[in-house]
Amino acid sequence: MSSPLVAIFEEQYRALRPRAPMPPFDIRFRRFTSLNTTIRLREGRLHVRLSDILEHAPESVHEAIAHILIAKIYKKPIAPVHADRYRRHVSSEAVSRQAEHVRQTRGRKRIFTAQGHHFDLNEVFETLNARFFHGLMGRPVLTWSAHHARRMLGHYDAAHNTIVVSRVFDRPDTPRAAIEYLLYHEMLHLKHPVSVKAGRRCVHSREFQAEERLFPHLDEAKAYLRRL
Ligand SMILES: [Zn+2]
């Protein structure tokens, strides 16, 4: 219930029915998926339900809605100025909501592609799996990142059992050792989950680091990543 809104409805009611007694209004916003609005007269009270999408609409739109609903229930002609005002608002609202929807679904959509233009992450994974893990590591979801991230070169997302490798490496001039090292590092995260010792998160434990040193071209690979 919003009293400025009640005042708007009372004003429109008065304009449409100058001599009739003023009924009490019960006006509420509801979560409608569409711009649904309803008006009902029950026991002398006018019950109005508006979509919450309209809650922050300009006052002139609230006036138009009040006019249209009251005219409708008392079978009065709807003034074109109010009909136009409402229609213009609804169409612009529909456009902006559609844009928002598209933006959200694009942001949420995750596309998994292990096959890049130059490197296949599944193939690199299986090579490393055979060479370092006796082929025993279960393959997580492997994917190139959607964007050319330079901050996050690679990361293992335990919640989604996914290793993401930055798209910047999917180039013909990337040394294979660099990609192998990146993936090997993330595979070690799978093997050595983050532990908590004395209240501190240990991401790269001593065991993790010892195993990382088994990678033959470790220094070269690290130097290449630093240059990037
Ligand atoms: Zn790490």
Side-chain angles (χ1 to χ4, degrees):
M1 175 81 91
S2 138
S3 49
L5 200 56
V6 170
I8 287 172
F9 271 79
E10 286 175 346
E11 198 184 308
Q12 294 304 319
Y13 182 92
R14 190 46 75 223
L16 281 161
R17 307 188 80 203
R19 275 168 293 276
M22 184 65 67
F25 281 93
D26 169 31
I27 305 168
R28 287 176 207 192
F29 288 100
R30 285 281 160 81
R31 282 185 59 97
F32 292 122
T33 50
S34 66
L35 288 149
N36 204 5
T37 56
T38 62
I39 188 164
R40 276 192 196 93
L41 181 61
R42 234 184 291 130
E43 293 163 29
R45 183 183 281 263
L46 279 170
H47 299 267
V48 177
R49 297 294 175 266
L50 302 166
S51 166
D52 61 355
I53 296 163
L54 295 166
E55 194 165 355
H56 303 289
E59 197 176 300
S60 62
V61 173
H62 286 162
E63 285 168 4
I65 293 167
H67 171 87
I68 292 165
L69 291 176
I70 295 165
K72 210 165 106 180
I73 200 163
Y74 292 108
K75 298 188 168 57
K76 304 267 186 187
I78 292 166
V81 60
H82 286 308
D84 283 355
R85 185 72 190 88
Y86 181 67
R87 206 179 308 119
R88 263 186 290 130
H89 179 75
V90 167
S91 55
S92 70
E93 192 70 24
V95 168
S96 61
R97 271 168 62 81
Q98 193 182 6
E100 173 73 4
H101 176 76
V102 167
R103 196 189 61 76
Q104 281 186 353
T105 50
R106 276 194 192 143
R108 222 181 289 130
K109 196 169 185 180
R110 299 194 64 179
I111 304 158
F112 299 108
T113 43
Q115 180 67 62
H117 296 296
H118 304 282
F119 294 96
D120 176 3
L121 293 175
N122 286 340
E123 180 269 315
V124 178
F125 178 93
E126 290 310 338
T127 303
L128 295 167
N129 198 7
R131 199 192 302 162
F132 296 102
F133 304 96
H134 311 285
L136 294 175
M137 187 175 280
R139 194 165 79 198
V141 177
L142 297 162
T143 183
W144 291 102
S145 65
H147 305 285
H148 288 67
R150 278 174 187 277
R151 280 275 186 78
M152 188 104 83
L153 302 180
H155 82 279
Y156 171 58
D157 175 354
H160 298 97
N161 192 35
T162 301
I163 290 175
V164 183
V165 178
S166 173
R167 181 74 71 175
V168 292
F169 295 102
D170 188 23
R171 305 195 317 207
D173 57 341
T174 303
R176 185 175 166 100
I179 292 195
E180 285 191 354
Y181 165 68
L182 263 173
L183 207 51
Y184 179 63
H185 180 96
E186 299 310 325
M187 287 166 85
L188 291 179
H189 277 304
L190 240 103
K191 187 172 173 184
H192 302 276
V194 175
S195 60
V196 181
K197 280 177 191 155
R200 292 183 61 180
R201 269 166 53 87
C202 184
V203 180
H204 302 116
S205 64
R206 202 175 301 154
E207 297 86 346
F208 183 109
Q209 290 176 40
E211 209 165 333
E212 194 180 45
R213 279 192 291 274
L214 298 177
F215 190 78
H217 311 286
L218 186 63
D219 294 338
E220 276 170 61
K222 279 186 164 175
Y224 176 82
L225 297 183
R226 265 196 300 275
R227 277 201 305 277
L228 213 87

